[in-house]
Amino acid sequence: MLLRYATLDLSDAVLTAPTAVTAHAAPFKPVGKPLSEATLRRWGRSDPSVQVVSISGVDAAQLVLTDTDLTDCRFIGAFHLDQLRIEGRTRFARVPQGLRLRGRWSQRRVLAEEHHWRAQHAGQRAPIADESPSERLWRTGPHHKVRELTPDPEDVAAVYRQLRKALEDGKNEPGAADFYYGEMEMRRHSRDDTTRAERGLLHLYWLLSGYGLRASRAFTWLALLMLTTILLMMGLGLPQHSPKQEASGIVPAGGGRVTYTIDKEDPQNPTTNWFTTKRFEKALNVTLNSVVFRSSGQDLTTTGTYVEMASRLFEPALLALGVLAIRGRIKR
């Protein structure tokens, strides 16, 4: 099917052979002359895109969508979504734009079903007739007022999982990353299939690195942790003075063998001059070595020893999450 200025509903369609839906790039030429599209534009469509609104009930293994608009497409109820082929410049919905009281949503491609669930979960009102949906709000679904008919997070997570596999099988790893993010978001909000402990781990994973997909978030936390480590080292971790070694021994009156015992003073907590250039240099050395999981070899107080141990555990983990996020965006 080659379409222009079209809205296509494939709900419960029975495809007995492989079927391709493609947005035709140029006006049709039935007899060698481009077909006038003025009438089509007067019908209300301002652009020649092909908007697919539903493939529910369709065997997606037989379907190929190319250059289509899937912003409002409903996938739940389709079969073999992991075998659906999505090609070309396909458009999906995006998260609402701008700052909100609950924080800024990470920009990504999302499914219409997630929009419907989040709009209902947030208690948004359904738009009145002829009202354009706001780009700063989640879009409501056709059953916005009926909770039982609105997809649950478990249902949306399953769709995300299958579509992610479909893109990965098509060697589109970066494109599948947004669907992995959506799947993890639905698991984080699910209260039926996800235990409280697992939800806690998912919240932490989301906060630290955006499920291993947001390098900026991981590196920001790494920078904050390194700054905290430097301040703790300068204030409590480095001793007031470098411990000095002392040698003591007994020399027999008649001469003979002499034995020296080398002892070292315990590092003393600083009392003054915490934030100096010299102490900053030492603290920076300890912190940078912790990032690459190395010991600095500096003399530290008891507090400094524990701070270094903690930084050697968490800082390399944040660095690894940042590298993982970059890898996920450039993987082929």
Side-chain angles (χ1 to χ4, degrees):
M1 290 184 284
L2 300 178
L3 305 173
R4 285 173 64 80
Y5 294 95
T7 299
L8 180 63
D9 188 346
L10 291 174
S11 298
D12 300 318
V14 179
L15 306 180
T16 59
T19 303
V21 177
T22 304
H24 201 266
F28 296 110
K29 297 181 180 180
V31 290
K33 183 179 179 181
L35 183 68
S36 175
E37 297 180 340
T39 304
L40 298 178
R41 285 191 287 269
R42 285 198 298 269
W43 286 349
R45 293 297 300 273
S46 59
D47 63 274
S49 64
V50 177
Q51 187 176 27
V52 182
V53 296
S54 176
I55 62 170
S56 178
V58 175
D59 186 353
Q62 300 270 33
L63 185 61
V64 180
L65 302 176
T66 304
D67 295 339
T68 53
D69 184 351
L70 303 180
T71 301
D72 294 312
C73 184
R74 297 189 298 276
F75 291 92
I76 289 180
F79 305 99
H80 302 123
L81 275 176
D82 59 328
Q83 300 179 42
L84 173 67
R85 291 179 59 186
I86 302 175
E87 300 179 351
R89 293 167 295 187
T90 301
R91 185 189 310 169
F92 285 90
R94 312 289 294 190
V95 299
Q97 300 176 357
L99 294 173
R100 300 283 296 170
L101 294 178
R102 292 187 177 183
R104 182 176 177 82
W105 291 304
S106 179
Q107 282 298 318
R108 58 186 172 89
R109 298 186 299 174
V110 299
L111 299 181
E113 283 92 345
E114 181 177 350
H115 266 272
H116 301 165
W117 175 79
R118 286 187 182 272
Q120 187 184 76
H121 187 70
Q124 293 179 199
R125 67 171 180 85
I128 59 178
D130 299 329
E131 180 183 6
S132 300
S134 173
E135 294 184 353
R136 303 178 67 88
L137 297 174
W138 299 98
R139 290 199 303 277
T140 57
H143 307 291
H144 181 65
K145 297 182 179 180
V146 184
R147 182 176 296 273
E148 292 76 11
L149 298 179
T150 300
D152 294 327
E154 298 81 12
D155 301 324
V156 183
V159 175
Y160 271 124
R161 188 179 305 115
Q162 294 181 75
L163 291 178
R164 172 174 62 86
K165 184 179 182 301
L167 291 179
E168 289 174 346
D169 291 344
K171 305 302 179 184
N172 187 3
E173 296 280 354
D178 283 345
F179 289 165
Y180 173 74
Y181 194 104
E183 176 189 350
M184 298 298 284
E185 276 287 277
M186 293 297 97
R187 288 181 56 196
R188 184 167 68 92
H189 290 286
S190 172
R191 296 188 177 276
D192 294 333
D193 291 350
T194 309
T195 63
R196 180 177 297 181
E198 187 176 354
R199 288 199 303 273
L201 290 175
L202 290 174
H203 271 83
L204 184 63
Y205 194 22
W206 163 77
L207 182 65
L208 293 179
S209 65
Y211 310 113
L213 295 173
R214 299 294 182 263
S216 59
R217 194 176 303 180
F219 287 136
T220 298
W221 280 110
L222 177 60
L224 291 175
L225 186 56
M226 291 176 64
L227 179 61
T228 303
T229 302
I230 290 175
L231 294 177
L232 289 175
M233 283 295 176
M234 294 178 68
L236 301 171
L238 297 174
Q240 183 70 35
H241 302 288
S242 298
K244 299 179 181 180
Q245 293 183 342
E246 295 183 353
S248 61
I250 301 175
V251 180
R257 186 175 181 180
V258 179
T259 302
Y260 292 94
T261 303
I262 305 297
D263 198 5
K264 194 175 184 179
E265 297 178 352
D266 293 331
Q268 300 298 315
N269 290 323
T271 56
T272 59
N273 298 325
W274 295 286
F275 302 102
T276 62
T277 303
K278 186 175 181 180
R279 291 177 65 82
F280 173 78
E281 183 180 354
K282 290 183 177 181
L284 182 62
N285 185 27
V286 172
T287 304
L288 292 178
N289 278 280
S290 297
V291 174
V292 294
F293 210 76
R294 292 178 54 191
S295 176
S296 63
Q298 296 279 354
D299 292 313
L300 303 175
T301 64
T302 302
T303 302
T305 301
Y306 285 110
V307 170
E308 184 186 37
M309 291 170 60
S311 63
R312 289 176 64 186
L313 174 63
F314 293 109
E315 289 173 4
L318 289 173
L319 178 62
L321 288 174
V323 173
L324 176 65
I326 295 175
R327 172 59 175 162
R329 287 300 180 179
I330 63 176
K331 186 178 179 182
R332 283 290 186 270

